[in-house]
């Protein structure tokens, strides 16, 4: 369910970059193979990163699609599956090498800093119950994406929450897990506010 890496973000960027170097168009299934189909948190980190980055999450329908993938991943985490299953039509979704490189370059800038800021701390929180709670929280955040499409930059906030959930699991960082919960609460607050003013 997690990986033992000192720099999980940089490691994932490196793996995806190797795929991008060899292909003019990259399918999501190829990204899954590179990251590891048995590492739910790593794949969730990728989904959260795409939502967090400026550009992709602003396209109509993209936040909902990414939210659906996040729900699939977290649901399978809760079901204790050994490896990830994603529908073929999602696996075949493609992105150009240029766009992939652009996203990786954008993510590479803060990657080393983010990896350096994470640590195995408050590990007493990172038990099975907490990880399951984070998975449920990520599902709830992902379920809000249809509403977030109508709120500028809110999908990026949801992506930040999902990204933080995944990184907390990978790094066994209980403090980051708490921060991720705070981001998710802010996301829910934004959704609630949107309903209140509409």
């Amino acid at each position: 369910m997690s990986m033992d890496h000192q720099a999980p973000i940089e490691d994932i960027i490196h793996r995806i970059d190797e795929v991008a170097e060899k292909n003019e168009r990259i399918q999501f299934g190829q990204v899954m193979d590179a990251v590891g189909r048995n590492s739910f948190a790593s794949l969730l980190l990728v989904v959260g990163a795409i939502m967090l980055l400026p550009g992709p999450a602003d396209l109509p329908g993209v936040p909902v699609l990414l939210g659906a993938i996040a729900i699939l991943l977290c649901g399978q985490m809760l079901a204790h599956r050994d490896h990830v299953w994603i529908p073929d039509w999602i696996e075949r979704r493609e992105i150009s090498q240029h766009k992939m490189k652009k996203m990786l370059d954008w993510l590479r800038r803060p990657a080393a800093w983010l990896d350096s800021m994470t640590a195995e701390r408050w590990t007493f929180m990172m038990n099975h119950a907490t990880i399951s709670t984070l998975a449920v929280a990520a599902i709830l955040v992902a379920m809000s994406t249809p509403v977030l499409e109508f709120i500028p930059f809110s999908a990026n906030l949801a992506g930040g929450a999902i990204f933080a959930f995944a990184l907390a699991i990978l790094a066994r960082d209980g403090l980051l897990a708490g921060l991720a919960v705070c981001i998710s609460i802010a996301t829910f607050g934004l959704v609630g506010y949107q309903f209140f003013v509409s």
Side-chain angles (χ1 to χ4, degrees):
M1 191 175 293
S2 63
M3 300 188 317
D4 182 19
H5 286 131
Q6 295 300 316
I9 303 174
E10 289 188 299
D11 179 80
I12 289 171
I13 291 172
H14 175 70
R15 293 187 186 198
I16 298 174
D17 193 42
E18 286 187 331
V19 175
E21 288 286 349
K22 301 173 184 176
N23 299 275
E24 291 186 3
R25 298 196 65 81
I26 300 95
Q27 293 185 344
F28 187 70
Q30 291 175 298
V31 173
M32 292 175 62
D33 289 335
V35 173
R37 289 177 180 258
N38 62 341
S39 183
F40 292 85
S42 297
L43 290 168
L44 191 64
L45 187 82
V46 172
V47 172
I50 298 171
M51 289 182 70
L52 178 61
L53 294 175
D58 300 324
L59 298 174
V62 172
V64 175
L65 175 61
L66 293 171
I69 296 174
I71 291 170
L72 280 172
L73 291 172
C74 293
Q76 291 174 72
M77 283 177 64
L78 292 170
H80 308 297
R81 286 181 58 90
D82 293 329
H83 63 279
V84 175
W85 173 85
I86 295 289
D88 288 340
W89 67 272
I90 294 181
E91 286 205 34
R92 291 195 297 268
R93 296 278 295 194
E94 293 182 338
I95 185 173
S96 68
Q97 183 187 65
H98 172 72
K99 288 182 178 179
M100 177 64 79
K101 287 282 190 178
K102 188 175 180 179
M103 286 195 297
L104 292 175
D105 287 343
W106 194 96
L107 185 59
R108 190 176 282 113
R109 296 170 192 170
W113 179 80
L114 286 170
D115 279 333
S116 69
M117 293 297 291
T118 59
E120 287 196 17
R121 55 195 165 188
W122 296 11
T123 53
F124 65 91
M125 289 182 58
M126 301 310 295
N127 52 36
H128 175 73
T130 300
I131 291 174
S132 296
T133 301
L134 292 177
V136 170
I139 288 174
L140 294 174
V141 170
M143 288 175 65
S144 71
T145 51
V147 177
L148 298 180
E149 287 213 1
F150 300 99
I151 311 173
F153 309 113
S154 59
N156 304 108
L157 183 62
I162 292 171
F163 184 90
F165 284 137
L167 185 57
I169 295 171
L170 287 171
R172 290 186 53 78
D173 190 336
L175 179 60
L176 181 57
L179 177 61
V181 171
C182 293
I183 299 174
S184 66
I185 291 172
T187 304
F188 298 141
L190 193 59
V191 173
Y193 175 78
Q194 178 68 14
F195 274 116
F196 180 77
V197 299
S198 60

